[in-house]
Amino acid sequence: MASKFWTQGGSDTEEEETDIEDEIENGGAGETTAAAAGSRYLQTNASDSDDSDGQKRVVRSAKDKRFEEMASTVDQMKNAMKINDWVSLQESFDKINKQLEKVMRVTESDRVPNLYIKCLVMLEDFLAEALANKEAKKKMSSSNHKALNAMKQKLKKNNKQYEELINKYRENPESEEEKFEDEDEDEDEDESGSELEDPSQIAAESSDEDDEGEDVDDDDANGAWEKKLSKKEKLMDREFKKDPSEITWDTVNKKFKEVVAARGRKGTGKFEQVEQLTFLTKVAKTPAQKLEIFFSVISAQFDVNPGLSGHMPINVWKKCVQNMLVILDILVQYPNIVVDDMVEPDENETQKGADYDGTIRVWGNLVAFLERIDNEFFKSLQCIDPHTREYVERLRDEPLFLVLAQNVQEYLERIGDLKSAAKVALRRVELVYYKPQEVYDAMRQLAVLSEDGEKDGDETKVEETRGTSAFVVTPELVSRKLTFPENSRALMDILVTLIYKSGDERTKARAMLCDIYHHALFDEFSIARDLLLMSHLQDTIQHMDVSTQILFNRAMAQVGLCAFRVGLIAEGHGCLSELYSGGRVKELLAQGVSQSRYHEKTPEQERLERRRQMPYHMHINLELLEAVHLICAMLLEVPNMAANSLDAKRKVISKTFRRLLEVSERQPFTGPPENVRDHVMAATRALCKGDFQKAFDVINSLDVWKLLRNRESVLEMLKAKIKEEALRTYLFTYCSSYDTLGLDQLTKMFDLSDAQIHSIVSKMLVNEELHASWDQPTRCIIFHDVEYSRLQALAFQLTEKLSILAESNERAVEARFGGGGLDLPLRRRDNQEYAAGTAGGGGGRWPDLSYNQGRQGSSGRAAYTGGGRPLALGQASRDRSSQSRGTGGYSGRAGSGMRGYQMDASARMVSLNRGVRG
Amino acid sequence: MATYDLTPRIGPNLDRHLVFPLLEFLQERQLYPDEQILKAKIELLNKTNMVDYAMDIHKSLYRTDDVPQDMVDRRVEVVARLKALEDAAAPLVTFLQNPNAVQELRADKQYNLQMLNDRYQIGPDQIEALYQYAKFQFECGNYSGAADYLYQYRALCTNSERSLSALWGKLAAEILMQNWDIALEELNRLKEIIDSKSFSSPLNQVQSRIWLMHWSLFIFFNHDNGRTQIIDLFNQDKYLNAIQTSAPHLLRYLATAFIVNKRRRPQFKEFIKVIQQDQCSYKDPITEFLACVYVNYEFDGAQKKMKECEEVILNDPFLGKRVEEGNFSTVPLKDEFLENARLFIFETYCRIHQRIDMGVLFEKLNLNYEEGERWIVNLIRNSKLDAKIDSETGTVIMEPNQPNVYEQLIDHTKALQGRTYKLVGQLLEPAQAQPAR
């Protein structure tokens, strides 16, 4: 008998333990558990019983191995207890927790192995004892004492998770399947625990013998599966099975109340409760009652999920969705039933039968359930490793949810609850908005495919329901089929319109962001931009919750990508530069955790951050994003650098890009480009010399381009842009070396047509970037020499400084006296108008069309800068100063102290956007 | 050329009655088959009370003397309703037609209402009836009557919503009667109300603005001073926003107004940016012309567009207004537009060139050599152009206009003095005020 071996091992390892002995012992102990574990599984499989062979087996399954390890750890703990060694006890405890994870993963069950629970109980008792014994405590060494205290904390926290199981165990140490093993261990414990003298254990043991007897009586005839059902359930089953005609509403109601009352109480199994309730739904007498019970079923199913971080088991989730559909069936079948969570319904409301005419109120909240289901789905995608098949499988459940959401929304619309319908619509929008047309099509196909499979499943389900004599038969009224428009835009339009009409603030904001994202995804830059500017989201986003801010960042990133794809470099840069300015892109887009060197995160923060991560399939490719950002910056910055190379206070367009360039220039030796950054830097070096071909080749060799749908045209556009900027850079850099420059030569050098070159150069001439003019008859550019003498240059600098001085004086006076009397009032008034516009827009309505500020957002980065700010998640205080600078300009919320800045921001915006203001 | 016809886009923003002039114009220009236009007219008239007119059109369209039964029925119905409304409004109408009685009215609205109620037994019901009656008159095409009644209704009405509707009605009636001066007054009144009134949703406000701008097109392109005023109205931020978001086709009119109006340069630059930005949402030859000249500097393109512009202007009901002078009928706006457009091209061209071949230039400007040379000489003589003609090589040579360094310095510093002076004044002001107290 294995147990004997183990017992021996367990009992005589007190003092002189050599390593070898230990090993043997461990091995032995391991094998016994292996046997035990094996037997357990065999028992459930009911194939054959070779528990006695366990010892001889050499090849063990992974499961067995894990159990073995665990058992050995338990053993170690026991040893540690005996010598009162808290330090090693603590170590072992950590170890067993880790092993537990492994075991759970291997067995793929949600049940914590009994062994573990037993260990916890043991520890708890030992701890209680140790704490009670004050003298011994005093005697302890300091490290030991510390460990004791640490252990106390840990155990308390850990045990909370398993509280129920522990309690159950305490009540009934021998749970059904593990009699065999338990007996052994109990014996074992008795021996080892002889010093501990735990009366409760003994009591428990004696009581559990009775239990066991009952158990055996009860269900020896039943199959292994049956064992899972609790006694209570079976009793109930029997009670109801006896005579269906005897069951009345009252009995069901009583039972229902009983079960519900047990919820959350110690000793109530979560799964059990679900099953009991599910059974009750079958025997419910009236539709209303059935509905009520169904609501409880779903609540109970939500309870199954233990913590905030974990996700609901997938099969439970699926059942949950099915239950929701049945609820809808009932609601559709009996339109007089009203679901409401505001009023406490009458006690006997559900007694009213199907033929009752008036409205029946049932407590429940469809939207809340639906949102919870969606959250669980989202969470499960967060948790599952995206590179596994499981993830893909999980993604396939999405149509299932969409069907449900669609039906709930339809129902809500029918009963006129548009506000809730909008909420549901938002959930649907959030599942669709990030999908490109291809993915959307794939999902539609999947929905059509799975429809057949689903049908089968449903049918069996219905039969099952009938088989167990459901009193209230619910036909499937609600369609289980997904009705999708051809094109995702159409779907978005329908949903978004509904939300704009009747959603609340947050729902609208989110829908707007999704809408923007979706438009951007489909290369509709101008629409996306208009929506963004009209909604004033950039001003209000700071005051919204983090997940909305993330959505905003995602939308901004996507708008940036879109601008790039359609060839609007400056706009693309405007959208993306804020995102990259802090170096925390990953965090801002919730696509991974970035470790900051200077800012240590607390575990709490980290957990929060982990919880808001985007699932993998929603990610925006970071490499592509970086490439686009850097290329945009390059195209803007290189000519800018060339133009202002001699200027002392040169204005910088992209600080990030400049920094990178400096770093790469400082390198003594440049290797071939490896990552995105290297590529862009190599291209920059070529572009600085005006070598467009090389620059383009380097950029072209990036492999992120294959992620683009219209790759050819984008690269074509990019090439044209590079040529143009190369020409500009060349002219800026070498204009001092030329007196005249022929158009033909330029045409040859830059592979551009005459008209293009003429247009580009003319633009530069008009903007006075280049001091030159055309000579038409000879088709060349004549450069004018405008070199100031040193004195003249200094004089100019002086005047500039003077005007700055005057300006700051004015600001100072204005800050002192409020209303300025100079040219400021005019601008200030504008400012207030902005503020009013903002307040109006932020106050109530989204599709507010009177967007005053940043109308020409496309021409100015400033319009976007305000919006970029909220990116500081969870570190608001650090970024406060710069934040308020960003908002101050628009909202005027900043106090008088900020007025200077405020002016600054608005002035900058004006100058960028409008040129001269009339 | 029907591609650039804006009637389908403008139509929805106009009153039914206001669309008639547009259709008339289209019929005249024969852009569309006659039949189609006549059908459209009947369609329009169906919802109005001008049944007789509809009948006439029906006859000419189908060349019959028969009229469908529903039209006849409708006529009877309309007449009956007219009678009923007339009766309802009769007391007030008779009161208003009595000059002696009208003199009793004072500026005080409350007093008037009280007085009417006490002495003439005219209560809110009758006043309401007057509004209905006026509306019905308008529907029947009796605009002058409608305008009169609405004017009087406004004097008596207390409901602001109704008053607003009455104002819209009055504006439409005045436009249709072509009383441009009065219409302009009404327009400004309406604009003030729209801007100051708090609308339930910004969307409504924007919509009102859009309507107002569409209706104003009638006035601005007929009123003498309209071309300046259209810029004043349309180029306001709020209105420009409305245009950009909801009715980008109005950019055509604003662009035209800017081109023919030389004194609006500062705003013009801004407007170019708007044009540039809205290229994706709306473009026609006129906006494209501006984009060519001021955004892309493509002079060949600009020249091509200029030719297209001519067509567009001729076919636009507002821009292509004809003036009969003796036997000629000219479109004054077209000539003006072309002249200015040419000047635009030339100006920009000169800015970036040092030497221009006149032959090429005149080709771009659609001028022949002689004419062109005269034109340039005139420009130089009027000192609009700092250049010389080199007739041997046939070129114009620009005088290089390098700004003098000293002038620049003076320019930069000139304003500083004034600003500082003001600043000091401002600082001293409270200081002086304090000892006085």
Side-chain angles (χ1 to χ4, degrees):
Chain A
M1 196 62 182
S3 58
K4 229 178 232 170
F5 190 65
W6 193 8
T7 326
Q8 277 164 6
S11 55
D12 64 16
T13 45
E14 266 127 299
E15 278 105 77
E16 352 114 350
E17 281 179 336
T18 62
D19 285 349
I20 303 162
E21 260 178 345
D22 205 21
E23 242 176 59
I24 293 172
E25 181 229 353
N26 276 354
E31 265 165 46
T32 36
T33 3
S39 75
R40 179 154 32 130
Y41 284 96
L42 290 167
Q43 203 178 339
T44 38
N45 294 341
S47 59
D48 68 332
S49 54
D50 62 352
D51 36 352
S52 53
D53 301 344
Q55 259 169 301
K56 282 168 212 157
R57 258 202 294 181
V58 188
V59 183
R60 280 178 239 123
S61 70
K63 279 180 210 169
D64 298 353
K65 245 192 209 155
R66 299 287 172 226
F67 272 107
E68 243 173 63
E69 278 171 18
M70 202 152 162
S72 78
T73 320
V74 172
D75 241 33
Q76 278 173 12
M77 284 166 101
K78 277 180 197 152
N79 293 336
M81 276 182 206
K82 275 172 204 154
I83 55 168
N84 217 0
D85 179 0
W86 285 96
V87 182
S88 66
L89 198 58
Q90 195 184 353
E91 271 164 24
S92 312
F93 183 65
D94 289 343
K95 199 160 131 204
I96 201 167
N97 275 339
K98 257 180 228 149
Q99 284 167 341
L100 174 71
E101 268 169 40
K102 278 186 203 155
V103 169
M104 300 285 274
R105 203 158 53 223
V106 168
T107 56
E108 287 167 347
S109 81
D110 315 290
R111 270 188 66 96
V112 182
N114 253 15
L115 185 62
Y116 179 73
I117 297 298
K118 211 175 66 171
C119 166
L120 286 183
V121 170
M122 196 171 78
L123 270 173
E124 213 173 59
D125 295 338
F126 184 60
L127 186 78
E129 197 195 359
L131 287 174
N133 192 350
K134 290 213 172 105
E135 262 175 55
K137 230 164 101 183
K138 269 179 205 159
K139 270 186 232 159
M140 271 184 212
S141 70
S142 68
S143 64
N144 216 7
H145 195 222
K146 216 187 263 168
L148 168 66
N149 281 335
M151 196 63 202
K152 192 170 92 187
Q153 306 282 341
K154 262 192 211 164
L155 199 64
K156 210 167 159 192
K157 211 156 108 198
N158 191 48
N159 280 11
K160 228 175 225 159
Q161 281 179 50
Y162 308 103
E163 204 166 63
E164 224 167 278
L165 285 170
I166 291 175
N167 284 321
K168 212 163 92 189
Y169 178 81
R170 276 187 192 281
E171 274 171 25
N172 177 4
E174 236 156 285
S175 66
E176 312 85 71
E177 322 117 296
E178 289 183 273
K179 277 172 270 168
F180 169 71
E181 186 186 298
D182 281 1
E183 249 163 28
D184 291 349
E185 293 192 2
D186 278 357
E187 262 176 47
D188 170 305
E189 239 169 27
D190 274 359
E191 280 187 57
S192 62
S194 53
E195 320 159 17
L196 305 176
E197 301 220 331
D198 189 347
S200 72
Q201 285 261 323
I202 296 164
E205 208 184 353
S206 63
S207 78
D208 86 41
E209 236 141 36
D210 305 345
D211 263 18
E212 195 189 318
E214 260 180 49
D215 238 330
V216 172
D217 285 345
D218 248 13
D219 49 30
D220 43 1
N222 290 337
W225 184 248
E226 275 289 286
K227 284 191 180 177
K228 276 215 158 175
L229 298 178
S230 77
K231 253 178 303 173
K232 228 196 256 168
E233 160 101 16
K234 254 166 276 145
L235 281 176
M236 203 158 72
D237 212 353
R238 205 173 298 155
E239 187 182 313
F240 285 119
K241 240 176 207 164
K242 265 180 211 153
D243 194 350
S245 58
E246 273 175 28
I247 301 170
T248 60
W249 180 84
D250 272 328
T251 43
V252 177
N253 191 43
K254 221 171 92 194
K255 197 73 211 166
F256 171 59
K257 291 269 146 57
E258 202 175 284
V259 176
V260 169
R263 179 184 172 190
R265 226 183 259 164
K266 284 173 189 173
T268 325
K270 286 166 183 167
F271 279 101
E272 255 168 49
Q273 207 182 12
V274 172
E275 265 164 53
Q276 286 171 10
L277 286 169
T278 316
F279 177 78
L280 276 177
T281 58
K282 289 172 196 157
V283 296
K285 289 300 270 186
T286 65
Q289 188 178 34
K290 188 167 176 179
L291 195 65
E292 195 181 11
I293 300 174
F294 257 120
F295 276 127
S296 302
V297 172
I298 291 175
S299 302
Q301 278 169 334
F302 286 145
D303 281 348
V304 168
N305 175 24
L308 259 175
S309 45
H311 65 88
M312 196 161 151
I314 288 163
N315 51 353
V316 179
W317 185 87
K318 280 186 182 157
K319 268 190 209 140
C320 206
V321 173
Q322 292 304 339
N323 285 338
M324 279 294 278
L325 283 172
V326 177
I327 287 181
L328 282 177
D329 283 335
I330 298 172
L331 286 173
V332 171
Q333 194 184 1
Y334 305 100
N336 57 336
I337 301 179
V338 178
V339 177
D340 200 344
D341 64 342
M342 296 309 282
V343 274
E344 198 59 39
D346 188 22
E347 180 73 14
N348 295 330
E349 189 89 5
T350 56
Q351 193 166 9
K352 293 160 187 166
D355 44 356
Y356 182 73
D357 278 341
T359 52
I360 306 173
R361 288 179 182 283
V362 177
W363 186 91
N365 187 344
L366 285 176
V367 181
F369 281 152
L370 187 88
E371 288 186 336
R372 180 73 193 269
I373 290 177
D374 185 33
N375 288 347
E376 293 294 344
F377 181 66
F378 189 82
K379 257 197 268 177
S380 69
L381 287 171
Q382 276 179 328
C383 294
I384 299 171
D385 178 8
H387 303 292
T388 56
R389 179 139 190 83
E390 200 187 350
Y391 192 80
V392 181
E393 289 292 327
R394 185 64 182 145
L395 272 180
R396 287 190 176 195
D397 294 338
E398 197 178 86
L400 212 62
F401 175 76
L402 280 173
V403 169
L404 176 65
Q406 182 185 331
N407 286 322
V408 171
Q409 191 190 332
E410 272 165 19
Y411 172 74
L412 289 171
E413 275 173 39
R414 205 160 39 231
I415 63 166
D417 187 358
L418 287 178
K419 205 158 175 144
S420 310
K423 273 187 195 160
V424 178
L426 177 67
R427 293 290 167 158
R428 290 175 69 193
V429 166
E430 285 186 11
L431 285 178
V432 174
Y433 77 94
Y434 58 87
K435 290 188 169 69
Q437 187 65 39
E438 294 84 2
V439 180
Y440 181 80
D441 287 340
M443 191 178 71
R444 277 184 63 214
Q445 271 172 8
L446 178 66
V448 175
L449 277 180
S450 64
E451 195 187 306
D452 307 330
E454 231 171 79
K455 230 177 227 162
D456 296 344
D458 282 345
E459 268 160 29
T460 52
K461 200 180 144 264
V462 172
E463 269 164 35
E464 189 189 9
T465 327
R466 286 207 186 107
T468 44
S469 70
F471 292 114
V472 182
V473 182
T474 319
E476 292 200 359
L477 294 171
V478 179
S479 82
R480 259 56 167 178
K481 211 174 87 182
L482 213 46
T483 45
F484 269 139
E486 272 290 315
N487 158 340
S488 58
R489 187 65 247 162
L491 179 65
M492 284 289 283
D493 279 339
I494 296 167
L495 296 174
V496 162
T497 321
L498 173 78
I499 296 172
Y500 291 158
K501 261 189 213 139
S502 41
D504 58 17
E505 276 311 301
R506 181 175 180 274
T507 314
K508 273 194 233 168
R510 285 189 77 95
M512 178 66 89
L513 287 169
C514 292
D515 204 12
I516 292 168
Y517 189 103
H518 193 261
H519 275 299
L521 204 62
F522 281 71
D523 285 352
E524 304 273 9
F525 176 74
S526 59
I527 300 176
R529 178 201 59 204
D530 284 352
L531 282 177
L532 190 69
L533 292 176
M534 277 192 285
S535 59
H536 289 291
L537 274 173
Q538 303 177 41
D539 311 322
T540 46
I541 195 75
Q542 274 107 341
H543 311 292
M544 300 203 188
D545 56 325
V546 176
S547 99
T548 310
Q549 290 186 0
I550 289 171
L551 187 59
F552 177 82
N553 293 340
R554 282 166 58 77
M556 280 305 268
Q558 197 58 246
V559 171
L561 287 179
C562 166
F564 175 77
R565 282 196 300 262
V566 298
L568 299 164
I569 302 298
E571 286 80 353
H573 182 256
C575 293
L576 297 179
S577 63
E578 282 290 334
L579 213 52
Y580 275 88
S581 61
R584 290 185 296 148
V585 198
K586 273 189 190 168
E587 188 185 329
L588 297 180
L589 293 176
Q591 298 188 359
V593 191
S594 55
Q595 216 59 51
S596 149
R597 238 179 310 165
Y598 310 106
H599 189 78
E600 202 60 40
K601 281 177 204 141
T602 62
E604 181 64 22
Q605 271 177 337
E606 226 162 88
R607 211 166 25 247
L608 276 175
E609 203 177 320
R610 221 170 281 286
R611 213 175 294 155
R612 51 180 182 242
Q613 290 299 306
M614 284 289 143
Y616 184 73
H617 66 287
M618 292 169 75
H619 282 195
I620 299 172
N621 186 291
L622 286 176
E623 270 197 9
L624 180 65
L625 200 64
E626 190 183 11
V628 167
H629 168 240
L630 287 178
I631 290 170
C632 286
M634 174 185 83
L635 289 175
L636 296 172
E637 190 70 80
V638 168
N640 179 42
M641 285 192 311
N644 301 323
S645 59
L646 300 171
D647 204 343
K649 47 146 196 138
R650 50 185 178 179
K651 69 172 200 271
V652 176
I653 294 174
S654 170
K655 279 203 180 109
T656 328
F657 180 79
R658 282 281 173 100
R659 210 163 39 233
L660 287 176
L661 193 62
E662 269 166 34
V663 169
S664 96
E665 270 168 1
R666 238 182 283 143
Q667 278 171 352
F669 171 75
T670 44
E674 278 170 8
N675 54 17
V676 174
R677 216 173 271 181
D678 292 347
H679 275 88
V680 178
M681 286 306 131
T684 307
R685 277 192 292 275
L687 197 58
C688 281
K689 293 187 201 106
D691 185 350
F692 75 91
Q693 190 60 48
K694 192 175 163 205
F696 177 71
D697 287 344
V698 173
I699 297 246
N700 195 18
S701 67
L702 279 173
D703 46 352
V704 286
W705 298 127
K706 65 172 181 280
L707 297 170
L708 290 179
R709 200 177 325 144
N710 41 0
R711 183 181 154 195
E712 297 303 316
S713 61
V714 169
L715 285 176
E716 204 54 40
M717 176 280 297
L718 197 59
K719 189 165 187 180
K721 292 277 173 200
I722 288 178
K723 277 182 197 170
E724 186 182 330
E725 298 308 331
L727 168 65
R728 278 158 53 80
T729 313
Y730 183 82
L731 285 177
F732 281 133
T733 318
Y734 299 107
C735 66
S736 54
S737 328
Y738 286 100
D739 210 8
T740 59
L741 189 53
L743 183 60
D744 298 328
Q745 197 191 345
L746 287 176
T747 327
K748 243 177 270 160
M749 274 171 76
F750 292 98
D751 190 25
L752 285 164
S753 72
D754 278 4
Q756 276 170 311
I757 291 200
H758 195 274
S759 159
I760 295 167
V761 174
S762 301
K763 222 179 280 183
M764 290 167 75
L765 297 183
V766 170
N767 295 337
E768 293 181 347
E769 291 171 321
L770 203 62
H771 297 286
S773 51
W774 285 103
D775 188 64
Q776 199 205 8
T778 53
R779 287 159 58 90
C780 46
I781 309 166
I782 298 175
F783 293 95
H784 305 302
D785 252 351
V786 265
E787 293 250 314
Y788 297 126
S789 70
R790 179 149 175 78
L791 177 66
Q792 286 167 341
L794 286 176
F796 273 120
Q797 277 187 21
L798 182 68
T799 54
E800 243 160 61
K801 294 225 162 105
L802 277 177
S803 60
I804 292 169
L805 184 70
E807 221 160 84
S808 51
N809 271 341
E810 271 162 15
R811 266 189 224 145
V813 170
E814 202 213 354
R816 179 105 161 69
F817 298 110
L822 312 173
D823 60 333
L824 303 178
L826 190 130
R827 280 201 241 157
R828 267 175 56 77
R829 219 178 312 122
D830 280 344
N831 224 352
Q832 274 153 7
E833 218 174 81
Y834 287 151
T838 317
R845 29 239 126 134
W846 288 110
D848 171 6
L849 294 161
S850 60
Y851 63 109
N852 291 328
Q853 58 121 128
R855 190 179 57 236
Q856 281 100 343
S858 66
S859 65
R861 289 185 304 131
Y864 293 106
T865 29
R869 270 301 148 191
L871 311 170
L873 314 172
Q875 301 182 18
S877 59
R878 238 169 33 126
D879 292 351
R880 185 56 51 76
S881 58
S882 46
Q883 237 180 45
S884 43
R885 187 170 59 94
T887 48
Y890 315 117
S891 60
R893 245 175 246 112
S896 62
M898 299 304 289
R899 206 164 269 152
Y901 286 123
Q902 195 178 328
M903 279 299 309
D904 205 2
S906 81
R908 186 187 55 189
M909 226 175 78
V910 169
S911 68
L912 268 174
N913 292 343
R914 313 283 318 254
V916 191
R917 222 184 150 80
Chain B
M1 281 310 285
T3 40
Y4 296 117
D5 182 31
L6 288 182
T7 319
R9 297 179 76 165
I10 293 177
N13 292 303
L14 291 176
D15 192 86
R16 256 166 208 288
H17 296 258
L18 290 174
V19 182
F20 275 107
L22 301 188
L23 288 181
E24 297 279 351
F25 182 86
L26 289 180
Q27 198 171 9
E28 206 176 295
R29 295 291 305 172
Q30 303 193 320
L31 285 177
Y32 299 101
D34 247 7
E35 217 166 281
Q36 214 175 330
I37 289 183
L38 287 178
K39 268 186 193 156
K41 276 191 179 172
I42 292 185
E43 194 84 344
L44 269 179
L45 288 169
N46 269 344
K47 293 272 170 58
T48 69
N49 294 334
M50 292 147 83
V51 190
D52 285 340
Y53 188 31
M55 284 175 178
D56 288 346
I57 294 174
H58 188 271
K59 282 176 196 160
S60 73
L61 175 59
Y62 298 105
R63 294 189 181 74
T64 62
D65 280 343
D66 304 333
V67 175
Q69 190 56 39
D70 54 337
M71 279 200 187
V72 179
D73 292 348
R74 185 147 164 75
R75 192 187 141 77
V76 175
E77 189 190 318
V78 165
V79 172
R81 180 137 170 73
L82 182 65
K83 265 272 167 298
L85 283 171
E86 208 172 348
D87 289 346
L92 191 53
V93 172
T94 43
F95 166 79
L96 292 169
Q97 273 162 357
N98 181 357
N100 292 333
V102 171
Q103 272 180 1
E104 287 179 48
L105 291 176
R106 295 190 198 162
D108 184 358
K109 207 180 252 182
Q110 286 306 325
Y111 167 83
N112 286 344
L113 288 178
Q114 190 66 35
M115 191 267 294
L116 281 177
N117 205 0
D118 294 349
R119 294 192 25 208
Y120 297 91
Q121 284 78 46
I122 296 174
D125 287 346
Q126 275 78 22
I127 296 177
E128 174 64 24
L130 181 67
Y131 173 79
Q132 297 295 352
Y133 184 54
K135 182 151 189 293
F136 204 80
Q137 286 284 350
F138 181 81
E139 296 279 312
C140 292
N142 179 6
Y143 304 125
S144 67
D148 286 346
Y149 291 136
L150 285 174
Y151 175 73
Q152 278 149 347
Y153 172 74
R154 270 179 49 72
L156 293 172
C157 126
T158 45
N159 181 344
S160 68
E161 283 295 320
R162 263 293 151 72
S163 166
L164 191 64
S165 310
L167 205 49
W168 280 107
K170 181 97 180 354
L171 177 61
E174 296 295 347
I175 289 174
L176 286 165
M177 288 188 300
Q178 312 205 335
N179 292 335
W180 304 124
D181 284 323
I182 303 175
L184 191 61
E185 268 171 43
E186 299 293 336
L187 182 76
N188 286 332
R189 203 169 294 155
L190 201 52
K191 173 178 174 287
E192 253 164 55
I193 294 178
I194 289 173
D195 286 346
S196 60
K197 187 169 170 263
S198 62
F199 278 83
S200 56
S201 99
L203 210 59
N204 286 347
Q205 193 167 23
V206 168
Q207 192 55 54
S208 305
R209 288 196 177 127
I210 299 274
W211 283 337
L212 190 74
M213 282 189 280
H214 278 97
W215 292 31
S216 72
L217 290 176
F218 287 99
I219 303 169
F220 289 144
F221 285 102
N222 285 303
H223 195 266
D224 298 334
N225 211 6
R227 286 174 210 164
T228 346
Q229 284 173 342
I230 190 175
I231 298 179
D232 288 343
L233 178 70
F234 283 24
N235 207 36
Q236 283 178 23
D237 263 358
K238 290 171 195 154
Y239 286 83
L240 202 51
N241 284 334
I243 292 179
Q244 283 184 291
T245 48
S246 309
H249 52 268
L250 288 176
L251 285 176
R252 171 192 288 184
Y253 300 103
L254 189 53
T256 315
F258 265 119
I259 291 173
V260 296
N261 210 323
K262 289 171 208 130
R263 283 167 304 175
R264 295 286 179 160
R265 280 310 158 84
Q267 286 138 312
F268 186 58
K269 268 191 190 142
E270 262 171 59
F271 180 66
I272 295 295
K273 279 185 192 145
V274 176
I275 293 270
Q276 188 182 356
Q277 196 194 338
D278 275 69
Q279 288 252 297
C280 50
S281 55
Y282 175 78
K283 60 177 154 189
D284 69 12
I286 296 180
T287 61
E288 277 173 327
F289 168 76
L290 284 179
C292 277
V293 178
Y294 285 100
V295 181
N296 301 326
Y297 303 98
E298 264 180 61
F299 299 101
D300 295 334
Q303 178 208 350
K304 233 178 272 159
K305 291 293 166 202
M306 213 161 90
K307 277 187 193 143
E308 287 178 30
C309 286
E310 204 175 326
E311 280 296 305
V312 171
I313 289 175
L314 286 179
N315 286 328
D316 189 287
F318 299 107
L319 302 176
K321 195 188 66 158
R322 285 167 182 282
V323 175
E324 308 284 338
E325 279 175 29
N327 293 331
F328 299 104
S329 92
T330 56
V331 180
L333 200 88
K334 186 194 85 178
D335 301 335
E336 224 173 309
F337 179 89
L338 290 183
E339 170 75 19
N340 278 301
R342 210 171 282 152
L343 201 62
F344 275 154
I345 297 183
F346 184 59
E347 249 176 34
T348 321
Y349 209 68
C350 289
R351 266 175 75 190
I352 55 171
H353 281 80
Q354 193 179 38
R355 207 150 57 104
I356 306 167
D357 186 40
M358 286 203 280
V360 180
L361 178 65
F362 298 147
E363 198 184 304
K364 281 197 175 34
L365 298 175
N366 297 338
L367 287 173
N368 64 36
Y369 196 88
E370 299 275 302
E371 207 182 326
E373 196 168 351
R374 202 174 309 132
W375 188 62
I376 288 188
V377 169
N378 271 333
L379 282 178
I380 296 172
R381 275 167 53 97
N382 298 336
S383 66
K384 276 186 183 162
L385 186 66
D386 198 5
K388 297 268 183 296
I389 295 178
D390 181 349
S391 59
E392 196 175 329
T393 52
T395 52
V396 186
I397 299 172
M398 307 295 145
E399 299 291 319
N401 59 336
Q402 285 306 319
N404 190 324
V405 178
Y406 303 105
E407 273 173 25
Q408 278 184 39
L409 274 180
I410 291 168
D411 270 356
H412 282 192
T413 42
K414 215 190 308 181
L416 283 180
Q417 190 195 1
R419 277 162 76 182
T420 319
Y421 189 75
K422 266 190 187 170
L423 198 66
V424 172
Q426 206 181 10
L427 266 175
L428 291 180
E429 212 171 274
Q432 281 167 350
Q434 255 166 4
R437 216 188 301 148

